């Protein structure tokens, strides 16, 4: 990978978007890449639309500015699609990953996207079953890794264990890792 | 390029990078009051205090004015003192930051740059630290989390140097650096302790064998005399900042100077900035260089004292220069950096200069914006004339 990859995350306050952005960056650096992660800050409220960004490269990342033309868009909450242009600025041939139980062909129509690839995974459903709470961030990271080949899922799972065991407890960590791996297997794509 | 795997690399936000450096410094006293976007920094450091990772006395005060007052008191009493603030918090310290400098307290303070109200805004610009530029503090600006970490460690040495004995601010851009997670190389705790050494105060309020008065009344008889050593100390600071930067480079492979020249040697057009914009500007220079354009970038790492000689030298071959300011000096002849640069070049065979105000209140600046400045410099270079308009 010689070009820098830019990822834009769309979620709502409380869905773990910031954690996902930070976890992904940290895990990629552990695997020898250069990466950056930052959230868009505004009035932070549960449920308010929030964005986050990642940059990934084989070279040190020097840019410190907003991401306007992402190569990948990750949508943690499909209800955001009606109110905002989540695919705005998406690079030609870019990828969109949406947390939705709808098939990717249908999601493509909803997004009005002609170019690029669309992927869907029912991350909220998986999170409810495996973690017991509708927090879609872990499964969405799992699906993202399948779609991009950015990092090994096992390495990320280890990092999640290391970072969150003390805070969340062994059971919740296990649920998050299971959710991540299930989404990795269950994500579907339309290219 | 150095292999990233051979060094100890961790991933931190700019705020956490300051907290990590402070943990390694293990200061005697940290008086603190929280303000966005500095809050997470002190939150993290308070964790180190309560976990017993440092032996610091953390003094939780009721305002920033009190934070700086406690810092001055603790420093006069012979302690190594650090703190951090942002924006209106720095403004509330105003009265005491001048006293910290004139009392020659080598306090190190991280300033997470944020716009001053009003209107109310929590995002990045430099109006806070630029307003404090005449207070007598050394000011180092940081491009990324790595420089934040490195600058904090060097600031301790610079501030405490017996030729200097002045307080130092380490500036980092609010949110853009403070809340961005990125990889940085860190030193071992032992390396840091050896590098900074023990703090040996020249005067100590609590040393009853050598009684000493701090902060006395000082009228037209001696006030002027006491200002002169402060001026001289600031004049001596550049040499110290440079030698500390070289020593740090030998220790870590990351050398620092007063400025950083990026492809300026043969550049016809040069853009100048400080803080997080520097990385974005370097990437812009690389893009334009690939198209065959002779452009370069000059980073001001040390804004106080201002590196006049170095800036002159770096710009001596340029045909046009743009200065990017992230704050307004109302009614002045351009932004604060612009005025410094133009003054530095007065009387020299100077290239025409164009000033830009950008990024107020966190407004984004990307390579397209910097490219536009380089583009406008083309006309200025060929006509040899700029306008006074910023």
């Amino acid at each position: 990978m010689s070009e820098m990859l830019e990822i834009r995350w769309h979620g709502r306050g409380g869905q773990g978007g910031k954690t996902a952005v930070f976890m992904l960056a940290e895990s990629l650096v552990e695997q020898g890449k250069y990466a950056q992660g930052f959230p868009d800050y505004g009035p932070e409220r549960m449920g308010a639309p929030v964005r986050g960004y990642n940059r990934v490269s084989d070279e040190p990342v020097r840019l410190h500015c907003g991401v306007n033309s992402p190569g990948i868009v990750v949508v943690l909450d499909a209800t955001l699609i009606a109110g905002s242009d989540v695919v705005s600025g998406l690079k030609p041939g870019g990828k969109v990953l949406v947390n939705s139980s709808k098939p990717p062909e249908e999601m493509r129509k909803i997004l009005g996207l002609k170019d690029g690839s669309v992927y869907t995974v029912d991350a909220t459903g998986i999170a409810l079953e495996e973690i017991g709470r509708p927090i879609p961030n872990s499964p969405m990271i799992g699906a993202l890794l399948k779609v991009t080949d950015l990092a090994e899922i096992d390495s990320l799972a280890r990092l999640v264990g290391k970072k969150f065991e003390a805070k969340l407890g062994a059971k919740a960590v296990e649920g998050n890792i299971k959710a991540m791996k299930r989404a990795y297997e269950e994500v579907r794509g339309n290219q | 390029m150095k292999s990233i795997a051979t060094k100890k690399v961790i991933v931190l936000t700019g705020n956490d990078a300051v907290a990590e450096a402070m943990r390694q410094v293990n200061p005697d006293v940290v008086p603190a009051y929280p303000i966005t976007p500095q809050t997470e920094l002190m939150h993290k450091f308070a964790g180190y205090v309560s976990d017993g990772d440092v032996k610091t006395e953390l003094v939780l005060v009721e305002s920033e004015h009190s934070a700086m007052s406690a810092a001055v008191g603790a420093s006069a009493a012979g302690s190594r003192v650090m703190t951090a603030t942002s924006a209106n918090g720095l403004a509330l310290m105003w009265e005491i930051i001048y006293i910290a400098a004139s009392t020659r307290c080598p306090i190190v303070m991280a300033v997470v740059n944020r716009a001053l109200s009003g209107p109310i805004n929590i995002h990045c610009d430099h109006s806070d630290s630029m307003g404090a530029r005449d207070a007598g503090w050394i000011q180092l600006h940081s491009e990324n989390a790595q420089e934040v970490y490195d600058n904090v460690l060097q600031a301790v040495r610079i501030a405490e140097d017996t030729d200097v004995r002045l307080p130092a601010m380490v500036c980092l851009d609010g949110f853009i650096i403070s809340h961005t997670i990125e990889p940085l190389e860190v030193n071992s705790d032992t390396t840091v302790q050896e590098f900074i050494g023990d703090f040996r105060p020249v005067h100590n309020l609590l040393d009853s064998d050598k009684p000493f008065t701090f902060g006395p009344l000082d009228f037209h008889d001696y006030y002027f005399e006491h200002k002169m050593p402060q001026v001289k100390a600031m004049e001596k600071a550049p040499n110290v900042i440079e030698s500390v930067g070289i020593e740090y480079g030998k220790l870590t492979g990351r050398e620092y100077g007063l400025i950083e020249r990026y492809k300026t040697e043969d550049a016809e057009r040069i853009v100048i900035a400080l803080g997080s914009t520097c990385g974005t500007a370097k990437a812009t220079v690389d893009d334009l260089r690939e198209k065959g354009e002779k452009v370069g970038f000059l980073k001001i790492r040390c804004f106080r004292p201002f590196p006049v000689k170095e800036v002159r030298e770096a710009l001596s071959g340029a045909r046009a220069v743009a200065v990017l300011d992230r704050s307004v000096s109302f009614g002045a002849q351009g932004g604060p950096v612009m005025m410094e640069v133009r003054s530095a070049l007065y009387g020299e065979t100077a290239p025409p200069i164009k000033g830009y105000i950008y990024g107020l209140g966190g407004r984004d600046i990307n390579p397209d914006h910097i490219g536009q400045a380089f583009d406008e410099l083309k006309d200025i270079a060929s006509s040899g004339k700029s306008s006074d308009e910023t």
Side-chain angles (χ1 to χ4, degrees):
Chain A
M1 186 175 59
S2 58
E3 280 235 329
M4 182 160 58
L5 173 66
E6 295 180 309
I7 305 172
R8 186 174 66 214
W9 299 70
H10 295 261
R12 292 186 184 276
Q15 291 181 328
K18 179 185 165 187
T19 308
V21 163
F22 279 18
M23 285 299 295
L24 183 67
E26 197 167 343
S27 145
L28 293 172
V29 170
E30 273 199 355
Q31 294 180 53
K33 295 220 183 288
Y34 290 91
Q36 194 184 59
F38 55 103
D40 240 1
Y41 279 88
E44 288 145 356
R45 297 178 302 265
M46 288 284 274
V50 286
R51 294 176 180 204
Y53 309 91
N54 284 116
R55 289 194 170 95
V56 190
S57 175
D58 288 332
E59 302 285 322
V61 178
R62 295 178 297 181
L63 291 182
H64 284 101
C65 55
V67 170
N68 296 322
S69 47
I72 300 177
V73 167
V74 183
V75 184
L76 291 169
D77 189 327
T79 64
L80 288 165
I81 295 169
S84 61
D85 186 8
V86 295
V87 293
S88 151
L90 183 71
K91 275 202 174 134
K95 296 172 179 175
V96 185
L97 168 64
V98 184
N99 171 16
S100 167
S101 55
K102 291 189 167 72
E105 297 75 22
E106 198 183 329
M107 186 51 67
R108 180 185 288 283
K109 283 186 196 129
I110 294 170
L111 291 167
L113 199 68
K114 293 192 175 63
D115 183 45
S117 314
V118 178
Y119 302 85
T120 56
V121 64
D122 182 12
T124 305
I126 293 173
L128 277 171
E129 282 172 30
E130 303 297 342
I131 311 167
R133 291 172 66 209
I135 306 290
N137 61 354
S138 294
M140 286 303 274
I141 292 181
L144 178 67
L145 294 191
K146 179 66 170 280
V147 164
T148 58
D149 232 10
L150 270 175
E152 289 170 29
I153 186 141
D154 287 334
S155 150
L156 194 82
R158 275 196 302 277
L159 185 70
V160 168
K162 200 171 78 186
K163 294 269 297 181
F164 291 101
E165 180 122 11
K167 191 177 166 190
L168 301 177
K171 192 160 170 271
V173 165
E174 196 190 316
N176 272 282
I177 292 172
K178 262 173 107 176
M180 201 180 271
K181 289 188 172 172
R182 250 188 76 186
Y184 184 86
E185 297 301 332
E186 290 177 20
V187 62
R188 293 170 293 172
N190 174 265
Q191 285 151 38
Chain B
M1 197 178 65
K2 286 195 300 284
S3 163
I4 196 162
T6 57
K7 306 246 183 173
K8 189 183 177 196
V9 174
I10 55 175
V11 186
L12 295 177
T13 63
N15 270 342
D16 287 354
V18 178
E20 174 65 4
M22 286 175 69
R23 181 190 67 75
Q24 294 186 311
V25 169
N26 195 358
D28 301 314
V29 178
V30 170
Y33 191 81
I35 181 168
T36 300
Q38 162 263 33
T39 310
E40 287 184 353
L41 185 171
M42 214 36 92
H43 185 169
K44 184 97 175 186
F45 184 74
Y48 295 138
V49 175
S50 74
D51 289 348
D53 295 331
V54 289
K55 61 169 178 59
T56 305
E57 178 82 30
L58 182 65
V59 188
L60 301 175
V61 288
E62 74 282 11
S63 77
E64 286 88 351
H65 188 278
S66 301
M68 188 45 64
S69 300
V72 170
S75 181
S79 309
R80 179 176 266 158
V81 183
M82 301 178 86
T83 186
T85 194
S86 284
N88 292 46
L90 179 59
L92 189 53
M93 286 180 179
W94 220 258
E95 179 187 7
I96 314 299
I97 56 171
Y98 280 76
I99 295 171
S102 62
T103 312
R104 309 290 295 275
C105 296
I107 298 161
V108 172
M109 173 164 68
V111 174
V112 187
N113 285 114
R114 161 187 151 181
L116 285 172
S117 305
I120 297 172
N121 181 299
I122 58 163
H123 290 281
C124 173
D125 72 32
H126 297 158
S127 51
D128 50 4
S129 64
M130 282 303 169
R133 68 191 189 273
D134 294 336
W137 286 57
I138 287 161
Q139 288 190 354
L140 302 177
H141 283 260
S142 320
E143 180 183 321
N144 49 36
Q146 180 74 65
E147 292 194 5
V148 168
Y149 171 81
D150 293 336
N151 279 339
V152 170
L153 299 179
Q154 291 171 75
V156 173
R157 276 283 303 275
I158 295 162
E160 291 174 4
D161 189 284
T162 47
D163 276 348
V164 179
R165 288 196 292 130
L166 289 173
M169 289 179 194
V170 173
C171 301
L172 57 148
D173 284 349
F175 293 106
I176 303 166
I177 299 300
S178 70
H179 285 62
T180 290
I181 194 167
E182 47 188 11
L184 63 149
E185 290 175 12
V186 289
N187 314 311
S188 73
D189 292 1
T190 327
T191 306
V192 170
Q193 279 301 319
E194 281 170 10
F195 173 71
I196 59 170
D198 289 335
F199 176 47
R200 294 195 183 83
V202 176
H203 304 289
N204 181 345
L205 189 62
L206 300 182
D207 184 352
S208 52
D209 291 336
K210 282 185 251 165
F212 197 84
T213 304
F214 284 82
L217 200 63
D218 197 14
F219 281 168
H220 30 41
D221 46 0
Y222 281 113
Y223 181 90
F224 211 141
E225 278 68 22
H226 286 129
K227 281 290 149 188
M228 278 314 289
Q230 212 185 321
V231 171
K232 294 288 174 200
M234 195 56 108
E235 283 172 4
K236 285 179 184 167
N239 278 341
V240 175
I241 295 167
E242 280 186 313
S243 65
V244 168
I246 290 167
E247 191 187 324
Y248 191 78
K250 283 182 186 147
L251 204 63
T252 63
R254 299 184 300 278
E255 189 177 309
Y256 286 80
L258 299 162
I259 60 167
E260 182 189 331
R261 300 173 64 163
Y262 190 76
K263 302 188 179 178
T264 57
E265 279 68 15
D266 64 336
E268 290 174 355
R269 288 168 284 147
I270 295 177
V271 164
I272 302 177
L274 28 85
S276 63
T277 306
C278 297
T280 311
K282 288 175 188 171
T284 311
V285 164
D286 286 353
D287 288 346
L288 293 174
R289 284 263 170 186
E290 265 180 33
K291 293 176 192 157
E293 298 197 26
K294 281 192 166 179
V295 294
F297 173 72
L298 176 63
K299 168 162 87 185
I300 312 284
R301 175 196 176 218
C302 177
F303 183 71
R304 277 290 180 270
F306 191 80
V308 176
K309 187 165 61 80
E310 290 73 14
V311 167
R312 264 185 206 154
E313 199 183 305
L315 300 180
S316 60
R319 292 181 57 211
V321 173
V323 183
L324 312 187
D325 266 288
R326 202 163 200 151
S327 65
V328 184
S329 185
F330 297 100
Q333 303 170 69
V337 189
M338 164 71 168
M339 288 190 286
E340 293 288 347
V341 172
R342 197 168 41 203
S343 287
L345 296 180
Y346 185 78
E348 305 280 309
T349 28
I353 304 178
K354 170 92 177 154
Y356 292 86
I357 306 285
Y358 77 98
L360 300 183
R363 180 73 53 86
D364 194 33
I365 180 165
N366 63 40
D368 290 345
H369 300 124
I370 299 168
Q372 194 188 330
F374 274 122
D375 219 38
E376 288 176 13
L377 285 185
K378 275 184 191 164
D379 286 344
I380 294 173
S382 58
S383 70
K385 277 185 195 151
S386 181
S387 66
D388 284 339
E389 200 179 299
T390 294

